[in-house]
Amino acid sequence: MAKKRVTLAQVAHAAGVSQTAASYALAGRAAEMRISPEVEARVRRAARDAGYRPNAVSRSLRTGSSQTVGFISDTVATTAFAGHLIWGALDQARERDHLLLIAETEGDPQLERELMTAMLDRGVDGLIIASMYTRAIAVPPVLMEAPAVLLNAFPVGDEMICSVVPDEREAGCVVARTLLASGHADGICLIGASPRGEGPQGSLASVQRLEGILSVLHAARIDVAGAVGCADWQPAQGLEATRRLLAEVTPSALICFNDRLAFGAYQALADAGLEVPDDVSVISFDDDPLASWIRPSLTTVALPHYELGAAAVQVLMDQLEGRPQESAERLVRRITMPLRVRESVRGLAHDSAGDAAARGAGKLVGAAPARAHTTVQ
Amino acid sequence: MAKKRVTLAQVAHAAGVSQTAASYALAGRAAEMRISPEVEARVRRAARDAGYRPNAVSRSLRTGSSQTVGFISDTVATTAFAGHLIWGALDQARERDHLLLIAETEGDPQLERELMTAMLDRGVDGLIIASMYTRAIAVPPVLMEAPAVLLNAFPVGDEMICSVVPDEREAGCVVARTLLASGHADGICLIGASPRGEGPQGSLASVQRLEGILSVLHAARIDVAGAVGCADWQPAQGLEATRRLLAEVTPSALICFNDRLAFGAYQALADAGLEVPDDVSVISFDDDPLASWIRPSLTTVALPHYELGAAAVQVLMDQLEGRPQESAERLVRRITMPLRVRESVRGLAHDSAGDAAARGAGKLVGAAPARAHTTVQ
DNA sequence: TTGTACGCGTTATCAC
DNA sequence: GTGATAACGCGTACAA
């Protein structure tokens, strides 16, 4: 019942030519070998009639390329986060006729090495190492055996390895500019990190978002009216921090360092009898699934998971196609974090249509990830 | 820099033996070839010293097995649903030293075939075809080239192909039994499907859940006090259906055919001034992420996504290891849907601890998926 | 007990 | 223009 696989030799035999001729004919390199058009057509015909499909395994053995990429994540494919990363990678890989070998390490370095070697042994063309949160990771030596790119992560040392990360600093700029554009000037306060360096331990996002915010405010000759850092970016901390802030100043706008903090801030503002956005504007980062559900819906700069995944595959493939990144600045590719305009900032037009479209279909258009602001979440 | 891969021939040479000897020694079949222990040790040593790792590609070409399984889903890895299916499959595959090749069809049959052949050509040992919702799917002939199992789906014809599905009928029984055990008898009503056959078009879950419910009630000589079918199982329909029900009868308990309907029912009950569970108990199916968040938290029978994914790999591997399922009844493997006891049914002890544990770590224990009631959601 | 030789299905290098 | 022939790395009958 199960039809036997037909080999190139059989096709060649059926067409009455040698294997070499058949191989070149099917590879579209007939001219190269000066194979006559009739012979080429005969081979193609025989191949189609027999239902010939090249054996990718033996081709892989011979050529060294398996048309397969490994994707190793430190977290389960289960969170919306990892899911969208994988989705982007999947689509981009398919566009380039590659398949994805996927695995997760659950944070176990031992397992991570095992999975890397397992994939390398299977001849993957390259490896993508993805992290749930942006962080520095130790690159095992085994990774040097094949091209690799870090997704949402930096090498802890100065290894020559590509990184794809969200552009946190630029996101900070966008947040600050958005506030300025909507008429805010005095009374801009920070929840989550402060210019005095308070914030979560070793959080790259924290310092880069802050940098972006301050650079824009500084250029506009504006000082933050207040800031409360939080060691942990959860709603409870946002609530507490906002309470402390309100005891000292009367903000006109709150920049929360992520959406969860903003959820807490909403609560504190409500407790103080303040309305969003009429009394206080709120803007933040991440575009958590809840951000569009909460009332008033939260204006936030999104982590572009789909684009991150797609970009990782792109960068890897570019590397495979032989343009090894040599200049250090090309080593890290920063993906734009798109602004989701909603209701929580005073005086901004809320494009609910765009929001709906964004959660509908978020494919990367063409090869310009920076333009693809339609991340699905 | 990139260390070259070391081959078996090199190991053999280093150990001063033939390739054959080295091969047998490393395969643990030294005795079989009556290779001296010293020689065996020497080979192992040489292999370790040289950092030898067998080339899986060439082994695959030779043996026909790639230690790789294909997982093709019709939906993005993005939903919590698909994510947990994949998670279960990933863990189970790793336990058996296999890697997973993952892809998604986005519902495109053409793409589905392409992906199947792409995986088959790469020598996958077997294929798992997963569906988002339980349904009948047309099995492309190409699938017959390798062992395959359907996940959350049945073959539309009578193909000899294994299926792994949630045990919807048994879940219906559990729901009915739970209500009886908590003292309910009269006043049990149905929201979502009715004994008159009203319900979503071609929904297997609908008829099987109903079957289970009715069989238990029938055995207890109890009739449903009312039932309203819904074509669509969304909150809005649940709200509307419950309203219509309340206009005619006064229920003591509501069996909603899924959690989303239950969310709507909650609303209708509140509107009517009825308390859950004091006035009316509510129980349903799926264990939607929101089910444990809503107040009062919803007692429901969970779709065991993690276990489904793991079971699919198990069934496939069993097939690979050469016990082809012949008897038709062994062709479909039904996975128990575990009851999540929460607050919405009167007189049931709510084990919040169990709930917390359930969302913490949900690994499949041993080889008995039916026992693994700790699905993560 | 060990070594030789062939095959898995391709692709690539040569002579003819 | 074409057709043997040699790899790629490994597994395994078979001969020594």
Side-chain angles (χ1 to χ4, degrees), chain A residues 122-177:
Chain A
R122 280 171 179 76
V124 292
D125 294 344
L127 240 25
I128 293 174
I129 310 300
S131 164
M132 175 141 73
Y133 304 111
T134 305
R135 61 188 173 97
I137 62 182
V139 180
V142 70
L143 239 195
M144 291 297 117
E145 285 183 25
V149 353
L150 265 28
L151 179 48
N152 235 305
F154 295 102
V156 69
D158 56 353
E159 284 91 345
M160 288 291 290
I161 186 169
C162 287
S163 287
V164 172
V165 295
D167 195 342
E168 306 280 9
R169 190 182 189 286
E170 172 61 20
C173 294
V174 166
V175 160
R177 275 193 223 111

Side-chain angles (χ1 to χ4, degrees), chain A residues 18 20 33-36 61-62:
Chain A
S18 74
T20 313
M33 271 288 149
R34 279 174 290 192
I35 292 175
S36 68
L61 178 60
R62 180 59 214 188

